[in-house]
Amino acid sequence: MPITYEHIKTCKQTGARLGRVHTPHGSFDTPMFMPVGTLATVKTMSPEELEEMGAKIILSNTYHLWLRPGEDIVEEAGGLHKFMNWDGAILTDSGGFQVFSLSDLRDIEEQGVHFRNHISGEKLFLSPEKAIQIQNSLGSDIMMAFDECPPYPASHDYMKASVERTSRWAERCLAAHKRPEEQGLFGIVQGGEYEELRRQSARDLTSLDFSGYAVGGLSVGEPKDVMNKVLEFTTPLLPTNKPRYLMGVGSPDSLIDGAIRGIDMFDCVLPTRVARNGTCMTSNGRLVVRNAKYARDFGPLDENCGCHVCRNYSRAYIRHLIKANETFGFRLTTYHNLYFLLELMMQVREAIKEDRLGDFREEFFEQYGFNKP
Ligand SMILES: Nc1nc2cc3nc(NCCc4ccc(CCO)cc4)[nH]c3cc2c(=O)[nH]1
Ligand SMILES: [Zn+2]
């Protein structure tokens, strides 16, 4: 069993759980946030900086690495860990979502998905077997099943047919997995906002031997209260002795609300994506550092943050770099945003330990400004 989950305790005030996930490349406490390194790099960050800020597991993408540089090159390098010099854990998404979010000319059928390479334009085909073969070559610690993440909203009929195909694909993924003793494989529950389809998807997937389970099909444009409602009736359907992963979720409020509803793992491009346009997450809310009002502000991005950036660089300096399109500026905002979310997860774990995550949510939302109308 390459991936095991240790449940430590459940918060008495909420449904949040404190746990620990063990992988061949180290263990990490949960709830935990995974920085996204789509093309075998968490953009502008070095592995040493990721380790220094406390990152334990990062996400990379099957679709992107298959297209460029090719999983054969990564395999020849000795696998993704060696290729990118990261010896923490790696989770790879399976490509289904990326095909639909990046490529045009898509045709989904029982065998798999036909689409056009978004870089070269050539016609390609991705199947459950191919997605697993690529992830086996990449050598990620946690592989994701090949699924369909339907658009939001989707009709009940479309969603039902999609869930049933995703369940058939899940069985094909397990059958195609070459090294189950070295790499974990997570199933992905679909079903949109339809409770009985979520139940059907969870029933199908939990009857199969996955190392963990993701809640997919969310963070696709639905309102936050729809996401929270879906989590409320979906996470209880998942086994308590395996990790639960909410895909594509990374704003501070959604991380807290996901943890409260029993989610253990999160990933999102948000912190690194917004950092590159100069938006920072701080304990007092979003801060757009390129704003003129920070031109002579020599304080840190966030006076409550202990990160390397907040201890050594000012808003004025970072604003100057961002305005001048200096790469170092994007490195500073990226480092701080990732540190901020990793630190938030640490505070969530502390609050679970002390059975006060509900209180923590109120305090954090108030200070960050989520309660403002
Ligand atoms: N295999 C698989 N992968 C997924 C990845 C996802 N990623 C998301 N949401 C990401 C949304 C997202 C995209 C970009 C930004 C940057 C700022 O705009 C923030 C959030 N939902 C997702 C659902 C699935 C899914 O069902 N199956
Ligand atoms: Zn900081």
Side-chain angles (χ1 to χ4, degrees), residues 181-255:
E181 71 293 340
E182 287 171 50
Q183 295 176 269
L185 174 56
F186 281 17
I188 305 176
V189 174
Q190 294 291 349
E193 57 191 302
Y194 304 103
E195 182 165 358
E196 78 280 7
L197 296 182
R198 286 280 174 185
R199 288 187 177 287
Q200 180 177 344
S201 182
R203 193 171 44 251
D204 293 347
L205 297 179
T206 54
S207 70
L208 302 169
D209 183 27
F210 284 108
S211 313
Y213 293 91
V215 180
L218 291 175
S219 191
V220 288
E222 75 285 357
K224 291 207 174 180
D225 61 316
V226 170
M227 178 191 290
N228 287 334
K229 182 170 62 72
V230 170
L231 290 177
E232 272 152 28
F233 60 66
T234 303
T235 47
L237 306 172
L238 303 177
T240 53
N241 65 337
K242 293 185 176 179
R244 297 156 178 180
Y245 162 30
L246 176 54
M247 305 186 86
V249 169
S251 58
D253 55 331
S254 299
L255 292 176

Coordinates of all heavy atoms in Angstrom, one line a residue, residues 181-255:
E181 N 1.9 -1.3 -6.2 CA 2.6 -1.4 -4.9 C 3.6 -0.1 -4.8 O 4.1 0.1 -3.7 CB 3.4 -2.7 -4.8 CG 4.7 -2.8 -5.6 CD 4.3 -2.9 -7.1 OE1 3.2 -3.3 -7.4 OE2 5.2 -2.7 -8.0
E182 N 3.8 0.6 -5.9 CA 4.7 1.8 -5.8 C 3.9 3.1 -5.9 O 4.4 4.2 -5.4 CB 5.7 1.7 -6.9 CG 6.8 0.7 -6.7 CD 7.6 0.6 -8.0 OE1 8.1 1.6 -8.5 OE2 7.8 -0.6 -8.5
Q183 N 2.8 3.1 -6.6 CA 2.1 4.4 -6.9 C 0.6 4.2 -6.4 O 0.0 3.2 -6.8 CB 2.1 4.7 -8.4 CG 3.5 5.1 -8.9 CD 3.5 5.3 -10.4 OE1 3.7 4.4 -11.2 NE2 3.3 6.5 -10.8
G184 N 0.1 5.2 -5.7 CA -1.3 5.2 -5.3 C -2.1 5.7 -6.5 O -1.6 6.3 -7.4
L185 N -3.4 5.3 -6.4 CA -4.4 5.7 -7.5 C -5.7 6.2 -6.8 O -6.2 5.4 -6.0 CB -4.6 4.6 -8.5 CG -5.7 4.8 -9.6 CD1 -5.4 6.0 -10.4 CD2 -5.8 3.5 -10.5
F186 N -6.1 7.4 -7.0 CA -7.3 7.9 -6.5 C -8.4 7.9 -7.5 O -8.2 8.2 -8.7 CB -7.1 9.4 -6.0 CG -6.4 9.6 -4.7 CD1 -5.6 8.6 -4.1 CD2 -6.5 10.9 -4.1 CE1 -5.0 8.8 -2.9 CE2 -5.8 11.1 -2.9 CZ -5.0 10.1 -2.3
G187 N -9.6 7.5 -7.0 CA -10.8 7.6 -7.8 C -11.4 9.0 -7.7 O -11.1 9.7 -6.7
I188 N -12.1 9.4 -8.7 CA -12.7 10.8 -8.7 C -14.2 10.7 -8.8 O -14.8 10.3 -9.8 CB -12.1 11.6 -9.9 CG1 -10.6 11.6 -9.8 CG2 -12.7 13.1 -9.8 CD1 -10.0 12.4 -11.0
V189 N -14.9 11.2 -7.7 CA -16.4 11.1 -7.7 C -16.9 12.3 -8.5 O -16.5 13.4 -8.3 CB -16.8 11.2 -6.2 CG1 -18.4 11.3 -6.1 CG2 -16.4 10.0 -5.4
Q190 N -17.9 12.0 -9.4 CA -18.5 13.0 -10.2 C -20.0 13.1 -9.8 O -20.4 12.5 -8.8 CB -18.3 12.8 -11.7 CG -16.9 12.9 -12.1 CD -16.3 14.3 -12.1 OE1 -17.1 15.3 -11.9 NE2 -15.0 14.5 -12.3
G191 N -20.8 13.7 -10.7 CA -22.2 13.8 -10.4 C -22.8 15.2 -10.3 O -24.0 15.4 -10.0
G192 N -21.9 16.2 -10.4 CA -22.4 17.6 -10.5 C -23.1 17.9 -9.2 O -22.7 17.5 -8.1
E193 N -24.2 18.6 -9.2 CA -25.0 19.0 -8.0 C -26.1 18.1 -7.7 O -27.0 18.3 -6.9 CB -25.5 20.4 -8.2 CG -26.4 20.6 -9.4 CD -26.7 22.1 -9.7 OE1 -27.2 22.8 -8.9 OE2 -26.3 22.5 -10.8
Y194 N -26.2 16.9 -8.4 CA -27.3 16.0 -8.3 C -26.9 14.9 -7.2 O -26.0 14.1 -7.4 CB -27.6 15.3 -9.6 CG -27.9 16.3 -10.7 CD1 -26.9 16.5 -11.7 CD2 -29.1 16.9 -10.8 CE1 -27.2 17.5 -12.7 CE2 -29.4 17.9 -11.8 CZ -28.4 18.1 -12.8 OH -28.7 19.0 -13.7
E195 N -27.7 15.0 -6.1 CA -27.3 14.1 -5.0 C -27.3 12.6 -5.3 O -26.4 11.9 -5.0 CB -28.2 14.4 -3.8 CG -27.8 13.5 -2.6 CD -28.4 14.0 -1.2 OE1 -29.1 15.0 -1.2 OE2 -28.1 13.3 -0.2
E196 N -28.4 12.2 -6.1 CA -28.4 10.7 -6.3 C -27.3 10.3 -7.3 O -26.9 9.2 -7.3 CB -29.8 10.3 -6.8 CG -30.2 10.6 -8.2 CD -30.6 12.0 -8.4 OE1 -30.4 12.9 -7.5 OE2 -31.0 12.4 -9.5
L197 N -26.8 11.3 -8.1 CA -25.7 10.9 -9.1 C -24.4 10.9 -8.3 O -23.5 10.0 -8.6 CB -25.7 11.9 -10.2 CG -26.9 11.8 -11.2 CD1 -26.7 12.8 -12.3 CD2 -27.2 10.4 -11.7
R198 N -24.3 11.8 -7.3 CA -23.1 11.7 -6.5 C -23.1 10.4 -5.7 O -22.0 9.8 -5.6 CB -23.1 12.9 -5.5 CG -22.7 14.2 -6.2 CD -21.3 14.4 -6.4 NE -20.9 15.6 -7.1 CZ -19.7 16.0 -7.5 NH1 -18.7 15.2 -7.2 NH2 -19.5 17.1 -8.2
R199 N -24.3 10.0 -5.2 CA -24.3 8.7 -4.5 C -24.0 7.6 -5.4 O -23.2 6.7 -5.0 CB -25.8 8.5 -4.0 CG -26.2 9.4 -2.8 CD -27.5 9.0 -2.2 NE -27.8 9.9 -1.1 CZ -27.2 9.8 0.1 NH1 -26.3 8.8 0.3 NH2 -27.4 10.6 1.1
Q200 N -24.5 7.6 -6.7 CA -24.2 6.5 -7.6 C -22.7 6.5 -7.9 O -22.0 5.4 -7.8 CB -25.0 6.7 -8.9 CG -24.7 5.7 -9.9 CD -25.6 5.9 -11.2 OE1 -26.5 6.7 -11.2 NE2 -25.2 5.2 -12.3
S201 N -22.1 7.6 -8.1 CA -20.7 7.7 -8.4 C -19.8 7.2 -7.2 O -18.9 6.4 -7.4 CB -20.3 9.1 -8.8 OG -18.9 9.2 -9.1
A202 N -20.2 7.7 -6.0 CA -19.4 7.2 -4.8 C -19.6 5.7 -4.6 O -18.6 5.0 -4.3 CB -19.9 8.0 -3.6
R203 N -20.8 5.2 -4.8 CA -21.0 3.8 -4.6 C -20.2 3.0 -5.6 O -19.4 2.0 -5.2 CB -22.5 3.5 -4.9 CG -23.0 2.1 -4.4 CD -24.5 1.9 -4.5 NE -25.1 2.4 -5.7 CZ -25.9 3.5 -5.7 NH1 -26.1 4.2 -4.6 NH2 -26.4 4.0 -6.9
D204 N -20.2 3.4 -6.9 CA -19.4 2.7 -7.9 C -17.9 2.7 -7.5 O -17.2 1.7 -7.6 CB -19.5 3.4 -9.3 CG -20.9 3.2 -9.8 OD1 -21.7 2.4 -9.3 OD2 -21.2 4.0 -10.8
L205 N -17.4 3.9 -7.1 CA -15.9 4.0 -6.9 C -15.5 3.4 -5.6 O -14.4 2.8 -5.5 CB -15.5 5.5 -7.0 CG -15.8 6.1 -8.4 CD1 -15.4 7.6 -8.3 CD2 -15.0 5.4 -9.5
T206 N -16.3 3.5 -4.6 CA -15.8 3.0 -3.3 C -15.9 1.5 -3.3 O -15.4 0.8 -2.4 CB -16.6 3.6 -2.1 OG1 -18.0 3.4 -2.3 CG2 -16.4 5.1 -1.9
S207 N -16.6 0.9 -4.3 CA -16.7 -0.6 -4.4 C -15.4 -1.1 -5.0 O -15.1 -2.3 -5.1 CB -17.9 -1.0 -5.2 OG -17.7 -0.6 -6.6
L208 N -14.6 -0.1 -5.5 CA -13.3 -0.5 -6.1 C -12.1 -0.1 -5.2 O -12.3 0.7 -4.3 CB -13.1 0.2 -7.5 CG -14.2 0.0 -8.5 CD1 -14.1 1.0 -9.7 CD2 -14.1 -1.5 -9.0
D209 N -11.0 -0.7 -5.4 CA -9.9 -0.5 -4.4 C -9.0 0.6 -4.7 O -7.9 0.4 -5.2 CB -9.1 -1.8 -4.2 CG -8.0 -1.7 -3.2 OD1 -8.2 -0.9 -2.2 OD2 -6.9 -2.3 -3.3
F210 N -9.4 1.9 -4.5 CA -8.6 3.0 -4.7 C -7.9 3.4 -3.4 O -8.3 3.1 -2.3 CB -9.5 4.2 -5.2 CG -9.9 4.1 -6.6 CD1 -11.2 3.8 -7.0 CD2 -9.0 4.3 -7.7 CE1 -11.6 3.6 -8.3 CE2 -9.3 4.2 -9.0 CZ -10.6 3.9 -9.3
S211 N -6.8 4.1 -3.5 CA -6.0 4.5 -2.4 C -6.6 5.7 -1.7 O -6.3 6.0 -0.5 CB -4.5 4.9 -2.8 OG -4.0 4.0 -3.6
G212 N -7.4 6.4 -2.4 CA -8.0 7.6 -1.9 C -9.1 8.1 -2.9 O -9.2 7.5 -4.0
Y213 N -9.9 9.1 -2.5 CA -11.0 9.5 -3.3 C -11.0 11.1 -3.5 O -10.8 11.8 -2.5 CB -12.3 9.0 -2.7 CG -12.4 7.5 -2.8 CD1 -11.9 6.7 -1.8 CD2 -12.8 6.9 -4.0 CE1 -12.0 5.3 -1.9 CE2 -12.9 5.6 -4.1 CZ -12.4 4.8 -3.1 OH -12.4 3.4 -3.2
A214 N -11.1 11.5 -4.7 CA -11.3 13.0 -5.0 C -12.7 13.3 -5.2 O -13.5 12.5 -5.7 CB -10.4 13.4 -6.2
V215 N -13.1 14.5 -4.8 CA -14.4 15.0 -5.2 C -14.1 15.9 -6.4 O -13.5 16.9 -6.3 CB -15.1 15.8 -4.1 CG1 -16.5 16.4 -4.6 CG2 -15.3 15.0 -2.8
G216 N -14.6 15.4 -7.6 CA -14.3 16.2 -8.8 C -15.6 16.9 -9.2 O -16.6 16.9 -8.5
G217 N -15.5 17.6 -10.4 CA -16.7 18.3 -10.9 C -17.1 19.5 -10.2 O -18.1 20.0 -10.4
L218 N -16.2 20.0 -9.3 CA -16.5 21.2 -8.6 C -15.4 22.3 -8.9 O -14.4 22.0 -9.6 CB -16.5 21.0 -7.1 CG -17.7 20.1 -6.6 CD1 -17.6 19.8 -5.1 CD2 -19.0 20.8 -6.9
S219 N -15.6 23.5 -8.4 CA -14.7 24.6 -8.8 C -14.7 24.8 -10.3 O -13.6 24.9 -10.9 CB -13.3 24.4 -8.2 OG -12.6 25.6 -8.3
V220 N -15.9 24.7 -10.9 CA -16.0 24.8 -12.3 C -17.0 25.9 -12.7 O -17.7 25.9 -13.7 CB -16.5 23.5 -13.0 CG1 -15.3 22.5 -13.0 CG2 -17.7 22.9 -12.3
G221 N -17.1 26.9 -11.7 CA -18.0 28.1 -12.0 C -19.3 28.1 -11.1 O -20.1 29.0 -11.2
E222 N -19.5 27.0 -10.4 CA -20.7 26.9 -9.6 C -20.6 27.9 -8.4 O -19.4 28.2 -7.9 CB -21.0 25.5 -9.0 CG -20.1 25.0 -7.9 CD -18.7 24.7 -8.3 OE1 -18.4 24.7 -9.5 OE2 -17.9 24.3 -7.4
P223 N -21.7 28.4 -7.9 CA -21.6 29.3 -6.7 C -21.0 28.5 -5.5 O -21.2 27.3 -5.4 CB -23.1 29.6 -6.4 CG -23.8 29.4 -7.7 CD -23.1 28.3 -8.4
K224 N -20.4 29.2 -4.5 CA -19.8 28.6 -3.4 C -20.8 27.8 -2.6 O -20.5 26.7 -2.0 CB -19.0 29.6 -2.5 CG -17.9 30.2 -3.3 CD -16.7 30.7 -2.4 CE -15.6 31.0 -3.4 NZ -14.4 31.6 -2.7
D225 N -22.0 28.3 -2.5 CA -23.0 27.5 -1.6 C -23.4 26.2 -2.3 O -23.7 25.2 -1.6 CB -24.2 28.4 -1.3 CG -25.0 28.8 -2.6 OD1 -24.3 29.2 -3.5 OD2 -26.2 28.7 -2.6
V226 N -23.3 26.2 -3.6 CA -23.6 24.9 -4.3 C -22.4 23.9 -4.0 O -22.6 22.7 -3.7 CB -23.7 25.1 -5.9 CG1 -23.7 23.8 -6.6 CG2 -25.0 25.9 -6.1
M227 N -21.2 24.4 -4.1 CA -20.0 23.5 -3.8 C -20.2 23.0 -2.3 O -20.0 21.8 -2.1 CB -18.7 24.3 -3.9 CG -17.5 23.5 -3.5 SD -16.0 24.4 -3.3 CE -15.6 24.8 -5.0
N228 N -20.5 23.9 -1.4 CA -20.6 23.5 0.0 C -21.7 22.4 0.2 O -21.5 21.4 0.9 CB -20.8 24.7 0.9 CG -19.5 25.5 1.1 OD1 -18.4 24.9 0.9 ND2 -19.6 26.8 1.3
K229 N -22.8 22.6 -0.5 CA -23.9 21.7 -0.4 C -23.5 20.3 -1.0 O -23.8 19.3 -0.3 CB -25.1 22.2 -1.2 CG -26.4 21.4 -1.1 CD -27.6 22.1 -1.7 CE -27.4 22.5 -3.2 NZ -27.5 21.3 -4.1
V230 N -22.9 20.3 -2.1 CA -22.4 19.1 -2.7 C -21.5 18.3 -1.8 O -21.6 17.1 -1.6 CB -21.8 19.3 -4.1 CG1 -21.1 18.0 -4.6 CG2 -22.8 19.8 -5.1
L231 N -20.5 19.1 -1.2 CA -19.6 18.5 -0.2 C -20.3 17.9 1.0 O -20.0 16.8 1.4 CB -18.6 19.5 0.3 CG -17.5 20.0 -0.8 CD1 -16.6 21.0 -0.2 CD2 -16.7 18.8 -1.3
E232 N -21.4 18.6 1.5 CA -22.1 18.1 2.6 C -22.7 16.7 2.4 O -22.7 15.9 3.3 CB -23.2 19.1 3.1 CG -22.6 20.2 4.0 CD -23.4 21.5 4.0 OE1 -24.6 21.5 3.6 OE2 -22.7 22.5 4.2
F233 N -23.2 16.5 1.2 CA -23.8 15.1 1.0 C -22.8 14.2 0.3 O -23.1 13.0 0.2 CB -25.2 15.2 0.3 CG -25.2 15.8 -1.1 CD1 -24.6 15.2 -2.2 CD2 -25.9 17.0 -1.3 CE1 -24.6 15.8 -3.4 CE2 -26.0 17.6 -2.6 CZ -25.3 17.0 -3.6
T234 N -21.7 14.6 -0.1 CA -20.7 13.7 -0.8 C -19.7 13.1 0.1 O -19.4 11.9 0.1 CB -20.1 14.4 -2.0 OG1 -21.1 14.8 -2.9 CG2 -19.2 13.4 -2.8
T235 N -19.0 14.0 0.9 CA -17.9 13.5 1.7 C -18.3 12.4 2.7 O -17.6 11.4 2.9 CB -17.2 14.6 2.5 OG1 -18.1 15.4 3.2 CG2 -16.3 15.5 1.6
P236 N -19.5 12.4 3.3 CA -19.9 11.3 4.2 C -20.0 9.9 3.4 O -20.0 8.9 4.1 CB -21.3 11.7 4.7 CG -21.3 13.2 4.5 CD -20.6 13.5 3.3
L237 N -20.1 10.0 2.1 CA -20.2 8.7 1.3 C -18.8 8.1 1.1 O -18.7 7.0 0.6 CB -20.8 9.0 -0.1 CG -22.1 9.7 -0.1 CD1 -22.5 10.1 -1.5 CD2 -23.2 8.9 0.6
L238 N -17.8 8.8 1.5 CA -16.4 8.3 1.2 C -15.8 7.6 2.5 O -16.2 8.0 3.6 CB -15.5 9.5 0.8 CG -16.0 10.3 -0.4 CD1 -15.1 11.5 -0.7 CD2 -16.1 9.3 -1.6
P239 N -15.0 6.6 2.3 CA -14.4 5.9 3.5 C -13.7 6.9 4.4 O -13.0 7.8 3.9 CB -13.5 4.9 2.9 CG -13.3 5.2 1.4 CD -14.4 6.1 1.0
T240 N -13.8 6.6 5.7 CA -13.1 7.5 6.7 C -11.6 7.1 6.8 O -10.8 7.9 7.3 CB -13.7 7.3 8.1 OG1 -13.7 5.9 8.4 CG2 -15.2 7.7 8.1
N241 N -11.2 6.0 6.3 CA -9.8 5.6 6.4 C -8.9 5.8 5.2 O -7.9 5.2 5.0 CB -9.7 4.1 6.8 CG -10.2 3.2 5.6 OD1 -11.0 3.7 4.8 ND2 -9.8 2.0 5.6
K242 N -9.4 6.7 4.3 CA -8.7 7.1 3.1 C -8.7 8.6 2.9 O -9.7 9.2 3.3 CB -9.2 6.3 1.9 CG -9.0 4.8 2.0 CD -9.4 4.1 0.7 CE -9.0 2.6 0.8 NZ -9.4 1.8 -0.4
P243 N -7.7 9.2 2.2 CA -7.7 10.6 2.0 C -8.8 11.0 1.1 O -9.2 10.3 0.2 CB -6.3 10.9 1.4 CG -5.5 9.7 1.6 CD -6.5 8.5 1.7
R244 N -9.3 12.3 1.4 CA -10.4 12.9 0.5 C -9.8 14.2 -0.1 O -9.3 15.0 0.7 CB -11.6 13.2 1.4 CG -12.3 12.0 2.0 CD -13.0 12.5 3.2 NE -13.8 11.4 3.8 CZ -14.5 11.6 4.9 NH1 -14.6 12.8 5.4 NH2 -15.2 10.6 5.5
Y245 N -9.9 14.3 -1.4 CA -9.2 15.4 -2.1 C -10.2 16.2 -2.9 O -10.9 15.6 -3.7 CB -8.1 14.7 -2.9 CG -7.5 15.5 -4.1 CD1 -7.4 16.9 -4.0 CD2 -7.0 14.9 -5.2 CE1 -6.8 17.6 -5.1 CE2 -6.4 15.6 -6.3 CZ -6.3 16.9 -6.2 OH -5.7 17.6 -7.2
L246 N -10.3 17.5 -2.6 CA -11.2 18.4 -3.4 C -10.4 19.1 -4.5 O -9.5 19.9 -4.1 CB -11.8 19.4 -2.4 CG -12.7 20.4 -3.1 CD1 -13.8 19.8 -3.9 CD2 -13.3 21.4 -2.0
M247 N -10.6 18.8 -5.7 CA -9.8 19.2 -6.8 C -10.1 20.6 -7.2 O -11.2 21.1 -7.4 CB -10.0 18.3 -8.0 CG -9.8 16.8 -7.7 SD -9.8 15.7 -9.1 CE -8.1 15.8 -9.6
G248 N -9.0 21.4 -7.4 CA -9.1 22.7 -8.0 C -9.6 23.8 -7.0 O -10.1 24.8 -7.4
V249 N -9.4 23.5 -5.7 CA -9.9 24.5 -4.7 C -8.8 25.1 -3.9 O -8.0 24.3 -3.4 CB -11.0 23.8 -3.8 CG1 -11.3 24.7 -2.7 CG2 -12.2 23.6 -4.7
G250 N -8.8 26.4 -3.9 CA -7.7 27.1 -3.3 C -7.9 28.5 -2.8 O -7.0 29.1 -2.4
S251 N -9.2 29.0 -2.8 CA -9.3 30.4 -2.1 C -9.4 30.1 -0.6 O -9.9 29.0 -0.2 CB -10.5 31.1 -2.6 OG -11.7 30.3 -2.4
P252 N -8.9 31.0 0.2 CA -8.8 30.8 1.6 C -10.2 30.4 2.2 O -10.2 29.4 3.0 CB -8.4 32.1 2.2 CG -7.6 32.8 1.1 CD -8.3 32.3 -0.2
D253 N -11.3 31.0 1.8 CA -12.6 30.7 2.4 C -13.0 29.3 2.0 O -13.5 28.5 2.8 CB -13.6 31.7 2.0 CG -13.7 31.9 0.5 OD1 -12.7 31.7 -0.2 OD2 -14.8 32.3 0.0
S254 N -12.7 28.9 0.7 CA -13.1 27.5 0.3 C -12.3 26.5 0.9 O -12.7 25.3 1.1 CB -13.0 27.5 -1.3 OG -13.9 28.4 -1.9
L255 N -11.0 26.8 1.2 CA -10.2 25.8 1.9 C -10.7 25.5 3.3 O -10.9 24.4 3.7 CB -8.7 26.3 2.0 CG -7.9 26.4 0.7 CD1 -6.6 27.0 1.0 CD2 -7.8 25.0 0.0

